[in-house]
Amino acid sequence: MAPRTPPRPFEAGGVIISWWRCVMLDLRLIRERPDLVRAAVASLGIEAPIDTILALDEDRRAILSEVEALKARRNEVSKEIGRLRGGPGAEPLKDESRSIGERIKALDENVKSVEGKLNSAMLEMPNLPHDSVPAGKDDRDNVVVRTVGEPRQFDFAPLAHWDLGPTLGIIDFERGVRMSGTRFYLLKGAGARLQRALITWMLDLHVAKHGYTEIYPPYVVREECLWVDGKLPKFRDNIYHDAEEDLWWIGTAETPLTNLHRDETLTLDDLPRSYVAYTACFRREKMSAGRDVRGIKRGHQFDKVEMFKFTTPESSYEDLETMVAQAEEVPALLGIPHRVILMCTGDLGFVAAKKYDVEMWAPGCAEWLEVSSLSNCTDFQARRGNMRFRREQGARPEYMHTLNGSGLALPRTLIAVIENYQQSDGSVVVPEVLRPYMGGIEVIR
RNA sequence: GGAGAGGUCGCAUAGUCCGGUCUAGUGCGCGCGACUCGAAAUCGCGUGGGCAGCAAUGUCCCGUGGGUUCAAAUCCCACCCUCUCCGCCA
């Protein structure tokens, strides 16, 4: 691929003025079916500047036709001046061209300002939900699609990982906090190794069995990457940012993976493309302390194995089901109960057209832990990142569809393993599938 | 971090000094056709994208963004990226 610098989708002041224009939600759809778009957005419970967009779009097209006619005339006049080679008769033409130029300049500034506002507004437009997504207000309306596996029956009271971990010496909260503050911890000995085993095993599973290509991406990215994957503008406050170099720490491998084929036009043969990446993830998570943040469930830094797929519009929903099944294999092979939740419109968020969560049962803290979130983002990210494909040589490029899903998030999977495999004496049995990655250790004690 | 070279229509290159027949030439690749029993070779034609428009067509794009000019691939400024040498190092 040609190493070209992607234009930044904004400039100081937040006004977008690059060629990065009008490609978020298809502008034509908003223009032609505003009623439909309005209803869809309303079902998400998200505010979107649809009226602003409609007005700006109309403005833009009106100015554009005028300015293009002027430019056509100026090009003509300039050519004529060139033919005259400075001979007589050139001067009046220069005057005409000059005055046309002034009008063009004024109108161009208009266009720029209108397009800037239009692009900002378009970047605020969420993706629209698929027909198969249940209507609902919030997470209470999500649908449990299936529950797989029976919770283990304990003949003692199972402990939560925040008790088990420190006792076993595999989780150290105090020293983590001493180094880095609240919401940091460290894993130690067999605990650190168990997490590493999970990472390697999951990567191997997705590469060898599911055909994904492993990627080791950068953990810091430029701002435009976050616009492309849809983290911006919504999550600005949750992202760590190095002001000195203007680099942003990823909150998920989805961000670099989404940008993997940015500004590329692939062929149909290239699709689908499946990638899996293990990365650390960084999130500011400005939640207050409380039950939800006890233990290692929600830290500022965590590890995750992420699956990502670039695919075609006609197969993306099928691919989503496949990806969910691939994520479910992790709890299945670990022998831990899990369930699959279909998110309702009100809990879909900004970029997904359809989204499932996979949750694993943790008997110690007695809750279903979200270990994966799998989304079909349809062409939403592809439009933002100009990611296209051609069906055949010479055919018009079309936007790809992108999907992402955790192939599982780590500390939570670790929690589930520890809590499900604990024994009455406080030791933890290593699941069968992980033993080859644990140097044969069968029990952590 | 310092010094130098450079980013052109899939790839490779010409053009940039001296602004206007560059609405970007050539080769390769690719597509269609001719020749052929078939193929190679050869010959002919074609070969990007965005936006506006019912269309004809117009407009914009020579790394990105500005500026100068009647007119910018070409001149000026800033930035991004690549390469070479030096320095520094996991």
PDB file of all heavy atoms in Angstrom, chain A residues 7-42:
ATOM      1  N   PRO A   7      -5.358  12.386   5.670  1.00  0.00           N
ATOM      2  CA  PRO A   7      -5.686  13.728   6.117  1.00  0.00           C
ATOM      3  C   PRO A   7      -6.378  13.642   7.464  1.00  0.00           C
ATOM      4  O   PRO A   7      -7.041  12.667   7.767  1.00  0.00           O
ATOM      5  CB  PRO A   7      -6.643  14.233   5.051  1.00  0.00           C
ATOM      6  CG  PRO A   7      -7.208  13.015   4.434  1.00  0.00           C
ATOM      7  CD  PRO A   7      -6.168  11.955   4.537  1.00  0.00           C
ATOM      8  N   ARG A   8      -6.194  14.628   8.246  1.00  0.00           N
ATOM      9  CA  ARG A   8      -6.841  14.613   9.551  1.00  0.00           C
ATOM     10  C   ARG A   8      -8.265  15.111   9.381  1.00  0.00           C
ATOM     11  O   ARG A   8      -8.513  16.065   8.651  1.00  0.00           O
ATOM     12  CB  ARG A   8      -6.085  15.511  10.510  1.00  0.00           C
ATOM     13  CG  ARG A   8      -4.580  15.375  10.322  1.00  0.00           C
ATOM     14  CD  ARG A   8      -3.855  15.833  11.522  1.00  0.00           C
ATOM     15  NE  ARG A   8      -4.136  14.921  12.623  1.00  0.00           N
ATOM     16  CZ  ARG A   8      -3.516  14.999  13.780  1.00  0.00           C
ATOM     17  NH1 ARG A   8      -2.621  15.919  13.992  1.00  0.00           N
ATOM     18  NH2 ARG A   8      -3.813  14.143  14.729  1.00  0.00           N
ATOM     19  N   PRO A   9      -9.194  14.456  10.052  1.00  0.00           N
ATOM     20  CA  PRO A   9     -10.609  14.781   9.816  1.00  0.00           C
ATOM     21  C   PRO A   9     -11.065  16.011  10.586  1.00  0.00           C
ATOM     22  O   PRO A   9     -12.213  16.165  10.874  1.00  0.00           O
ATOM     23  CB  PRO A   9     -11.323  13.534  10.320  1.00  0.00           C
ATOM     24  CG  PRO A   9     -10.421  13.017  11.381  1.00  0.00           C
ATOM     25  CD  PRO A   9      -9.020  13.358  10.959  1.00  0.00           C
ATOM     26  N   PHE A  10     -10.144  16.862  10.929  1.00  0.00           N
ATOM     27  CA  PHE A  10     -10.541  18.019  11.721  1.00  0.00           C
ATOM     28  C   PHE A  10      -9.382  18.979  11.680  1.00  0.00           C
ATOM     29  O   PHE A  10      -8.285  18.653  11.257  1.00  0.00           O
ATOM     30  CB  PHE A  10     -10.777  17.620  13.180  1.00  0.00           C
ATOM     31  CG  PHE A  10      -9.608  16.889  13.712  1.00  0.00           C
ATOM     32  CD1 PHE A  10      -8.535  17.572  14.241  1.00  0.00           C
ATOM     33  CD2 PHE A  10      -9.532  15.510  13.615  1.00  0.00           C
ATOM     34  CE1 PHE A  10      -7.407  16.899  14.674  1.00  0.00           C
ATOM     35  CE2 PHE A  10      -8.409  14.836  14.047  1.00  0.00           C
ATOM     36  CZ  PHE A  10      -7.347  15.530  14.576  1.00  0.00           C
ATOM     37  N   GLU A  11      -9.572  20.161  12.128  1.00  0.00           N
ATOM     38  CA  GLU A  11      -8.442  21.050  12.367  1.00  0.00           C
ATOM     39  C   GLU A  11      -8.680  21.712  13.695  1.00  0.00           C
ATOM     40  O   GLU A  11      -9.726  21.558  14.309  1.00  0.00           O
ATOM     41  CB  GLU A  11      -8.304  22.077  11.250  1.00  0.00           C
ATOM     42  CG  GLU A  11      -9.429  23.071  11.210  1.00  0.00           C
ATOM     43  CD  GLU A  11      -9.118  24.239  10.285  1.00  0.00           C
ATOM     44  OE1 GLU A  11      -8.099  24.168   9.571  1.00  0.00           O
ATOM     45  OE2 GLU A  11      -9.884  25.202  10.311  1.00  0.00           O
ATOM     46  N   ALA A  12      -7.703  22.464  14.161  1.00  0.00           N
ATOM     47  CA  ALA A  12      -7.852  23.119  15.447  1.00  0.00           C
ATOM     48  C   ALA A  12      -9.170  23.875  15.466  1.00  0.00           C
ATOM     49  O   ALA A  12      -9.501  24.575  14.519  1.00  0.00           O
ATOM     50  CB  ALA A  12      -6.694  24.075  15.680  1.00  0.00           C
ATOM     51  N   GLY A  13      -9.914  23.723  16.516  1.00  0.00           N
ATOM     52  CA  GLY A  13     -11.218  24.371  16.561  1.00  0.00           C
ATOM     53  C   GLY A  13     -12.321  23.376  16.263  1.00  0.00           C
ATOM     54  O   GLY A  13     -13.483  23.657  16.427  1.00  0.00           O
ATOM     55  N   GLY A  14     -11.919  22.202  15.817  1.00  0.00           N
ATOM     56  CA  GLY A  14     -12.892  21.126  15.661  1.00  0.00           C
ATOM     57  C   GLY A  14     -13.715  21.177  14.399  1.00  0.00           C
ATOM     58  O   GLY A  14     -14.622  20.382  14.202  1.00  0.00           O
ATOM     59  N   VAL A  15     -13.396  22.070  13.487  1.00  0.00           N
ATOM     60  CA  VAL A  15     -14.164  22.128  12.249  1.00  0.00           C
ATOM     61  C   VAL A  15     -13.510  21.234  11.205  1.00  0.00           C
ATOM     62  O   VAL A  15     -12.330  21.354  10.927  1.00  0.00           O
ATOM     63  CB  VAL A  15     -14.246  23.562  11.710  1.00  0.00           C
ATOM     64  CG1 VAL A  15     -15.016  23.587  10.414  1.00  0.00           C
ATOM     65  CG2 VAL A  15     -14.887  24.467  12.745  1.00  0.00           C
ATOM     66  N   ILE A  16     -14.291  20.356  10.667  1.00  0.00           N
ATOM     67  CA  ILE A  16     -13.729  19.397   9.718  1.00  0.00           C
ATOM     68  C   ILE A  16     -13.744  19.966   8.313  1.00  0.00           C
ATOM     69  O   ILE A  16     -14.778  20.321   7.777  1.00  0.00           O
ATOM     70  CB  ILE A  16     -14.525  18.092   9.734  1.00  0.00           C
ATOM     71  CG1 ILE A  16     -14.345  17.434  11.086  1.00  0.00           C
ATOM     72  CG2 ILE A  16     -14.056  17.162   8.647  1.00  0.00           C
ATOM     73  CD1 ILE A  16     -15.590  17.398  11.879  1.00  0.00           C
ATOM     74  N   ILE A  17     -12.578  20.024   7.698  1.00  0.00           N
ATOM     75  CA  ILE A  17     -12.539  20.639   6.375  1.00  0.00           C
ATOM     76  C   ILE A  17     -11.738  19.854   5.362  1.00  0.00           C
ATOM     77  O   ILE A  17     -11.386  20.361   4.329  1.00  0.00           O
ATOM     78  CB  ILE A  17     -11.934  22.045   6.453  1.00  0.00           C
ATOM     79  CG1 ILE A  17     -10.558  21.973   7.103  1.00  0.00           C
ATOM     80  CG2 ILE A  17     -12.854  22.998   7.170  1.00  0.00           C
ATOM     81  CD1 ILE A  17      -9.740  23.214   6.908  1.00  0.00           C
ATOM     82  N   SER A  18     -11.409  18.619   5.654  1.00  0.00           N
ATOM     83  CA  SER A  18     -10.643  17.870   4.675  1.00  0.00           C
ATOM     84  C   SER A  18     -11.584  17.239   3.662  1.00  0.00           C
ATOM     85  O   SER A  18     -12.785  17.445   3.684  1.00  0.00           O
ATOM     86  CB  SER A  18      -9.851  16.781   5.363  1.00  0.00           C
ATOM     87  OG  SER A  18     -10.733  15.753   5.744  1.00  0.00           O
ATOM     88  N   TRP A  19     -11.030  16.410   2.783  1.00  0.00           N
ATOM     89  CA  TRP A  19     -11.867  15.701   1.800  1.00  0.00           C
ATOM     90  C   TRP A  19     -12.693  14.645   2.487  1.00  0.00           C
ATOM     91  O   TRP A  19     -13.500  13.972   1.886  1.00  0.00           O
ATOM     92  CB  TRP A  19     -11.008  15.044   0.732  1.00  0.00           C
ATOM     93  CG  TRP A  19     -10.004  14.104   1.295  1.00  0.00           C
ATOM     94  CD1 TRP A  19      -8.700  14.382   1.523  1.00  0.00           C
ATOM     95  CD2 TRP A  19     -10.220  12.767   1.737  1.00  0.00           C
ATOM     96  NE1 TRP A  19      -8.086  13.296   2.074  1.00  0.00           N
ATOM     97  CE2 TRP A  19      -8.998  12.279   2.234  1.00  0.00           C
ATOM     98  CE3 TRP A  19     -11.327  11.919   1.764  1.00  0.00           C
ATOM     99  CZ2 TRP A  19      -8.841  11.009   2.747  1.00  0.00           C
ATOM    100  CZ3 TRP A  19     -11.158  10.651   2.291  1.00  0.00           C
ATOM    101  CH2 TRP A  19      -9.933  10.212   2.772  1.00  0.00           C
ATOM    102  N   TRP A  20     -12.452  14.465   3.720  1.00  0.00           N
ATOM    103  CA  TRP A  20     -13.101  13.495   4.570  1.00  0.00           C
ATOM    104  C   TRP A  20     -14.560  13.854   4.703  1.00  0.00           C
ATOM    105  O   TRP A  20     -15.068  14.056   5.788  1.00  0.00           O
ATOM    106  CB  TRP A  20     -12.451  13.616   5.926  1.00  0.00           C
ATOM    107  CG  TRP A  20     -12.593  12.450   6.796  1.00  0.00           C
ATOM    108  CD1 TRP A  20     -13.729  12.017   7.408  1.00  0.00           C
ATOM    109  CD2 TRP A  20     -11.568  11.573   7.195  1.00  0.00           C
ATOM    110  NE1 TRP A  20     -13.467  10.922   8.151  1.00  0.00           N
ATOM    111  CE2 TRP A  20     -12.143  10.621   8.036  1.00  0.00           C
ATOM    112  CE3 TRP A  20     -10.214  11.484   6.909  1.00  0.00           C
ATOM    113  CZ2 TRP A  20     -11.412   9.596   8.617  1.00  0.00           C
ATOM    114  CZ3 TRP A  20      -9.501  10.477   7.494  1.00  0.00           C
ATOM    115  CH2 TRP A  20     -10.105   9.542   8.324  1.00  0.00           C
ATOM    116  N   ARG A  21     -15.250  13.982   3.619  1.00  0.00           N
ATOM    117  CA  ARG A  21     -16.532  14.646   3.721  1.00  0.00           C
ATOM    118  C   ARG A  21     -17.708  13.707   3.533  1.00  0.00           C
ATOM    119  O   ARG A  21     -17.687  12.807   2.737  1.00  0.00           O
ATOM    120  CB  ARG A  21     -16.607  15.762   2.689  1.00  0.00           C
ATOM    121  CG  ARG A  21     -16.331  15.284   1.277  1.00  0.00           C
ATOM    122  CD  ARG A  21     -16.670  16.363   0.294  1.00  0.00           C
ATOM    123  NE  ARG A  21     -15.595  17.307   0.093  1.00  0.00           N
ATOM    124  CZ  ARG A  21     -14.617  17.174  -0.796  1.00  0.00           C
ATOM    125  NH1 ARG A  21     -14.535  16.124  -1.537  1.00  0.00           N
ATOM    126  NH2 ARG A  21     -13.710  18.075  -0.956  1.00  0.00           N
ATOM    127  N   CYS A  22     -18.717  13.968   4.323  1.00  0.00           N
ATOM    128  CA  CYS A  22     -20.034  13.407   4.024  1.00  0.00           C
ATOM    129  C   CYS A  22     -20.057  11.914   3.802  1.00  0.00           C
ATOM    130  O   CYS A  22     -20.776  11.434   2.938  1.00  0.00           O
ATOM    131  CB  CYS A  22     -20.615  14.071   2.782  1.00  0.00           C
ATOM    132  SG  CYS A  22     -20.604  15.819   2.901  1.00  0.00           S
ATOM    133  N   VAL A  23     -19.262  11.178   4.533  1.00  0.00           N
ATOM    134  CA  VAL A  23     -19.232   9.765   4.234  1.00  0.00           C
ATOM    135  C   VAL A  23     -19.632   8.923   5.434  1.00  0.00           C
ATOM    136  O   VAL A  23     -19.435   7.727   5.434  1.00  0.00           O
ATOM    137  CB  VAL A  23     -17.842   9.333   3.763  1.00  0.00           C
ATOM    138  CG1 VAL A  23     -17.568   9.915   2.417  1.00  0.00           C
ATOM    139  CG2 VAL A  23     -16.786   9.701   4.755  1.00  0.00           C
ATOM    140  N   MET A  24     -20.175   9.525   6.449  1.00  0.00           N
ATOM    141  CA  MET A  24     -20.485   8.729   7.632  1.00  0.00           C
ATOM    142  C   MET A  24     -21.715   7.876   7.356  1.00  0.00           C
ATOM    143  O   MET A  24     -21.639   6.891   6.684  1.00  0.00           O
ATOM    144  CB  MET A  24     -20.678   9.619   8.849  1.00  0.00           C
ATOM    145  CG  MET A  24     -19.384  10.239   9.301  1.00  0.00           C
ATOM    146  SD  MET A  24     -18.913  11.604   8.247  1.00  0.00           S
ATOM    147  CE  MET A  24     -17.206  11.180   7.933  1.00  0.00           C
ATOM    148  N   LEU A  25     -22.831   8.293   7.828  1.00  0.00           N
ATOM    149  CA  LEU A  25     -24.053   7.632   7.395  1.00  0.00           C
ATOM    150  C   LEU A  25     -24.294   8.155   5.986  1.00  0.00           C
ATOM    151  O   LEU A  25     -24.052   9.313   5.714  1.00  0.00           O
ATOM    152  CB  LEU A  25     -25.221   8.084   8.281  1.00  0.00           C
ATOM    153  CG  LEU A  25     -26.119   7.022   8.879  1.00  0.00           C
ATOM    154  CD1 LEU A  25     -27.388   7.674   9.370  1.00  0.00           C
ATOM    155  CD2 LEU A  25     -26.398   5.897   7.943  1.00  0.00           C
ATOM    156  N   ASP A  26     -24.739   7.323   5.117  1.00  0.00           N
ATOM    157  CA  ASP A  26     -24.964   7.761   3.748  1.00  0.00           C
ATOM    158  C   ASP A  26     -25.866   8.991   3.742  1.00  0.00           C
ATOM    159  O   ASP A  26     -27.017   8.952   4.159  1.00  0.00           O
ATOM    160  CB  ASP A  26     -25.607   6.623   2.963  1.00  0.00           C
ATOM    161  CG  ASP A  26     -25.667   6.955   1.483  1.00  0.00           C
ATOM    162  OD1 ASP A  26     -25.352   8.112   1.127  1.00  0.00           O
ATOM    163  OD2 ASP A  26     -26.019   6.067   0.709  1.00  0.00           O
ATOM    164  N   LEU A  27     -25.302  10.072   3.263  1.00  0.00           N
ATOM    165  CA  LEU A  27     -26.029  11.343   3.259  1.00  0.00           C
ATOM    166  C   LEU A  27     -27.309  11.258   2.429  1.00  0.00           C
ATOM    167  O   LEU A  27     -28.316  11.863   2.754  1.00  0.00           O
ATOM    168  CB  LEU A  27     -25.111  12.437   2.721  1.00  0.00           C
ATOM    169  CG  LEU A  27     -25.571  13.890   2.811  1.00  0.00           C
ATOM    170  CD1 LEU A  27     -26.078  14.223   4.197  1.00  0.00           C
ATOM    171  CD2 LEU A  27     -24.431  14.801   2.438  1.00  0.00           C
ATOM    172  N   ARG A  28     -27.233  10.468   1.368  1.00  0.00           N
ATOM    173  CA  ARG A  28     -28.415  10.337   0.503  1.00  0.00           C
ATOM    174  C   ARG A  28     -29.597   9.714   1.246  1.00  0.00           C
ATOM    175  O   ARG A  28     -30.746  10.065   1.030  1.00  0.00           O
ATOM    176  CB  ARG A  28     -28.081   9.501  -0.732  1.00  0.00           C
ATOM    177  CG  ARG A  28     -27.701  10.345  -1.924  1.00  0.00           C
ATOM    178  CD  ARG A  28     -26.977   9.508  -2.930  1.00  0.00           C
ATOM    179  NE  ARG A  28     -25.865   8.811  -2.272  1.00  0.00           N
ATOM    180  CZ  ARG A  28     -24.913   8.141  -2.918  1.00  0.00           C
ATOM    181  NH1 ARG A  28     -24.947   8.043  -4.215  1.00  0.00           N
ATOM    182  NH2 ARG A  28     -23.937   7.568  -2.245  1.00  0.00           N
ATOM    183  N   LEU A  29     -29.264   8.776   2.132  1.00  0.00           N
ATOM    184  CA  LEU A  29     -30.323   8.130   2.900  1.00  0.00           C
ATOM    185  C   LEU A  29     -31.032   9.153   3.792  1.00  0.00           C
ATOM    186  O   LEU A  29     -32.257   9.183   3.880  1.00  0.00           O
ATOM    187  CB  LEU A  29     -29.746   6.996   3.753  1.00  0.00           C
ATOM    188  CG  LEU A  29     -30.745   6.222   4.605  1.00  0.00           C
ATOM    189  CD1 LEU A  29     -31.720   5.456   3.721  1.00  0.00           C
ATOM    190  CD2 LEU A  29     -30.020   5.269   5.540  1.00  0.00           C
ATOM    191  N   ILE A  30     -30.240   9.999   4.421  1.00  0.00           N
ATOM    192  CA  ILE A  30     -30.826  11.022   5.295  1.00  0.00           C
ATOM    193  C   ILE A  30     -31.651  12.004   4.468  1.00  0.00           C
ATOM    194  O   ILE A  30     -32.739  12.410   4.856  1.00  0.00           O
ATOM    195  CB  ILE A  30     -29.721  11.791   6.055  1.00  0.00           C
ATOM    196  CG1 ILE A  30     -28.863  10.803   6.853  1.00  0.00           C
ATOM    197  CG2 ILE A  30     -30.324  12.841   6.975  1.00  0.00           C
ATOM    198  CD1 ILE A  30     -27.691  11.443   7.557  1.00  0.00           C
ATOM    199  N   ARG A  31     -31.123  12.346   3.315  1.00  0.00           N
ATOM    200  CA  ARG A  31     -31.783  13.313   2.451  1.00  0.00           C
ATOM    201  C   ARG A  31     -33.117  12.771   1.939  1.00  0.00           C
ATOM    202  O   ARG A  31     -34.121  13.465   1.918  1.00  0.00           O
ATOM    203  CB  ARG A  31     -30.864  13.630   1.273  1.00  0.00           C
ATOM    204  CG  ARG A  31     -31.326  14.743   0.358  1.00  0.00           C
ATOM    205  CD  ARG A  31     -30.456  14.780  -0.896  1.00  0.00           C
ATOM    206  NE  ARG A  31     -29.057  15.049  -0.592  1.00  0.00           N
ATOM    207  CZ  ARG A  31     -28.038  14.652  -1.349  1.00  0.00           C
ATOM    208  NH1 ARG A  31     -28.255  13.949  -2.441  1.00  0.00           N
ATOM    209  NH2 ARG A  31     -26.801  14.938  -1.006  1.00  0.00           N
ATOM    210  N   GLU A  32     -33.076  11.489   1.520  1.00  0.00           N
ATOM    211  CA  GLU A  32     -34.266  10.943   0.865  1.00  0.00           C
ATOM    212  C   GLU A  32     -35.269  10.324   1.828  1.00  0.00           C
ATOM    213  O   GLU A  32     -36.462  10.310   1.553  1.00  0.00           O
ATOM    214  CB  GLU A  32     -33.841   9.912  -0.191  1.00  0.00           C
ATOM    215  CG  GLU A  32     -33.340  10.571  -1.469  1.00  0.00           C
ATOM    216  CD  GLU A  32     -32.433   9.661  -2.286  1.00  0.00           C
ATOM    217  OE1 GLU A  32     -32.596   8.428  -2.169  1.00  0.00           O
ATOM    218  OE2 GLU A  32     -31.565  10.184  -3.012  1.00  0.00           O
ATOM    219  N   ARG A  33     -34.790   9.770   2.944  1.00  0.00           N
ATOM    220  CA  ARG A  33     -35.708   9.161   3.893  1.00  0.00           C
ATOM    221  C   ARG A  33     -35.500   9.681   5.309  1.00  0.00           C
ATOM    222  O   ARG A  33     -35.209   8.916   6.219  1.00  0.00           O
ATOM    223  CB  ARG A  33     -35.540   7.632   3.879  1.00  0.00           C
ATOM    224  CG  ARG A  33     -35.832   6.974   2.546  1.00  0.00           C
ATOM    225  CD  ARG A  33     -37.264   7.229   2.081  1.00  0.00           C
ATOM    226  NE  ARG A  33     -38.260   6.900   3.102  1.00  0.00           N
ATOM    227  CZ  ARG A  33     -38.725   5.670   3.310  1.00  0.00           C
ATOM    228  NH1 ARG A  33     -38.308   4.667   2.581  1.00  0.00           N
ATOM    229  NH2 ARG A  33     -39.641   5.444   4.246  1.00  0.00           N
ATOM    230  N   PRO A  34     -35.637  10.988   5.487  1.00  0.00           N
ATOM    231  CA  PRO A  34     -35.374  11.549   6.821  1.00  0.00           C
ATOM    232  C   PRO A  34     -36.285  10.951   7.892  1.00  0.00           C
ATOM    233  O   PRO A  34     -35.875  10.774   9.040  1.00  0.00           O
ATOM    234  CB  PRO A  34     -35.623  13.048   6.632  1.00  0.00           C
ATOM    235  CG  PRO A  34     -36.424  13.167   5.388  1.00  0.00           C
ATOM    236  CD  PRO A  34     -36.054  12.012   4.527  1.00  0.00           C
ATOM    237  N   ASP A  35     -37.517  10.629   7.507  1.00  0.00           N
ATOM    238  CA  ASP A  35     -38.465  10.057   8.463  1.00  0.00           C
ATOM    239  C   ASP A  35     -37.946   8.740   9.015  1.00  0.00           C
ATOM    240  O   ASP A  35     -37.979   8.487  10.224  1.00  0.00           O
ATOM    241  CB  ASP A  35     -39.809   9.825   7.757  1.00  0.00           C
ATOM    242  CG  ASP A  35     -39.639   9.084   6.433  1.00  0.00           C
ATOM    243  OD1 ASP A  35     -38.626   9.336   5.731  1.00  0.00           O
ATOM    244  OD2 ASP A  35     -40.491   8.240   6.102  1.00  0.00           O
ATOM    245  N   LEU A  36     -37.449   7.918   8.099  1.00  0.00           N
ATOM    246  CA  LEU A  36     -36.943   6.610   8.480  1.00  0.00           C
ATOM    247  C   LEU A  36     -35.726   6.734   9.404  1.00  0.00           C
ATOM    248  O   LEU A  36     -35.622   6.066  10.434  1.00  0.00           O
ATOM    249  CB  LEU A  36     -36.547   5.885   7.190  1.00  0.00           C
ATOM    250  CG  LEU A  36     -36.361   4.381   7.179  1.00  0.00           C
ATOM    251  CD1 LEU A  36     -36.749   3.856   5.802  1.00  0.00           C
ATOM    252  CD2 LEU A  36     -34.917   4.038   7.477  1.00  0.00           C
ATOM    253  N   VAL A  37     -34.813   7.633   9.012  1.00  0.00           N
ATOM    254  CA  VAL A  37     -33.602   7.830   9.807  1.00  0.00           C
ATOM    255  C   VAL A  37     -33.956   8.377  11.186  1.00  0.00           C
ATOM    256  O   VAL A  37     -33.424   7.936  12.205  1.00  0.00           O
ATOM    257  CB  VAL A  37     -32.633   8.784   9.080  1.00  0.00           C
ATOM    258  CG1 VAL A  37     -31.438   9.118   9.963  1.00  0.00           C
ATOM    259  CG2 VAL A  37     -32.167   8.162   7.769  1.00  0.00           C
ATOM    260  N   ARG A  38     -34.878   9.316  11.207  1.00  0.00           N
ATOM    261  CA  ARG A  38     -35.295   9.919  12.473  1.00  0.00           C
ATOM    262  C   ARG A  38     -35.844   8.858  13.434  1.00  0.00           C
ATOM    263  O   ARG A  38     -35.479   8.809  14.612  1.00  0.00           O
ATOM    264  CB  ARG A  38     -36.379  10.971  12.209  1.00  0.00           C
ATOM    265  CG  ARG A  38     -36.047  12.334  12.773  1.00  0.00           C
ATOM    266  CD  ARG A  38     -37.226  13.276  12.591  1.00  0.00           C
ATOM    267  NE  ARG A  38     -37.364  13.738  11.218  1.00  0.00           N
ATOM    268  CZ  ARG A  38     -36.743  14.828  10.746  1.00  0.00           C
ATOM    269  NH1 ARG A  38     -35.971  15.541  11.533  1.00  0.00           N
ATOM    270  NH2 ARG A  38     -36.903  15.197   9.497  1.00  0.00           N
ATOM    271  N   ALA A  39     -36.682   7.990  12.883  1.00  0.00           N
ATOM    272  CA  ALA A  39     -37.279   6.948  13.722  1.00  0.00           C
ATOM    273  C   ALA A  39     -36.206   5.992  14.240  1.00  0.00           C
ATOM    274  O   ALA A  39     -36.212   5.595  15.408  1.00  0.00           O
ATOM    275  CB  ALA A  39     -38.329   6.178  12.923  1.00  0.00           C
ATOM    276  N   ALA A  40     -35.279   5.636  13.352  1.00  0.00           N
ATOM    277  CA  ALA A  40     -34.227   4.700  13.741  1.00  0.00           C
ATOM    278  C   ALA A  40     -33.362   5.285  14.852  1.00  0.00           C
ATOM    279  O   ALA A  40     -33.050   4.623  15.840  1.00  0.00           O
ATOM    280  CB  ALA A  40     -33.368   4.342  12.533  1.00  0.00           C
ATOM    281  N   VAL A  41     -32.993   6.547  14.689  1.00  0.00           N
ATOM    282  CA  VAL A  41     -32.147   7.192  15.689  1.00  0.00           C
ATOM    283  C   VAL A  41     -32.891   7.318  17.018  1.00  0.00           C
ATOM    284  O   VAL A  41     -32.328   7.103  18.090  1.00  0.00           O
ATOM    285  CB  VAL A  41     -31.669   8.574  15.199  1.00  0.00           C
ATOM    286  CG1 VAL A  41     -31.005   9.342  16.329  1.00  0.00           C
ATOM    287  CG2 VAL A  41     -30.703   8.421  14.024  1.00  0.00           C
ATOM    288  N   ALA A  42     -34.174   7.639  16.927  1.00  0.00           N
ATOM    289  CA  ALA A  42     -34.976   7.771  18.144  1.00  0.00           C
ATOM    290  C   ALA A  42     -34.980   6.459  18.924  1.00  0.00           C
ATOM    291  O   ALA A  42     -34.923   6.454  20.151  1.00  0.00           O
ATOM    292  CB  ALA A  42     -36.400   8.182  17.789  1.00  0.00           C
TER     293      ALA A  42
END
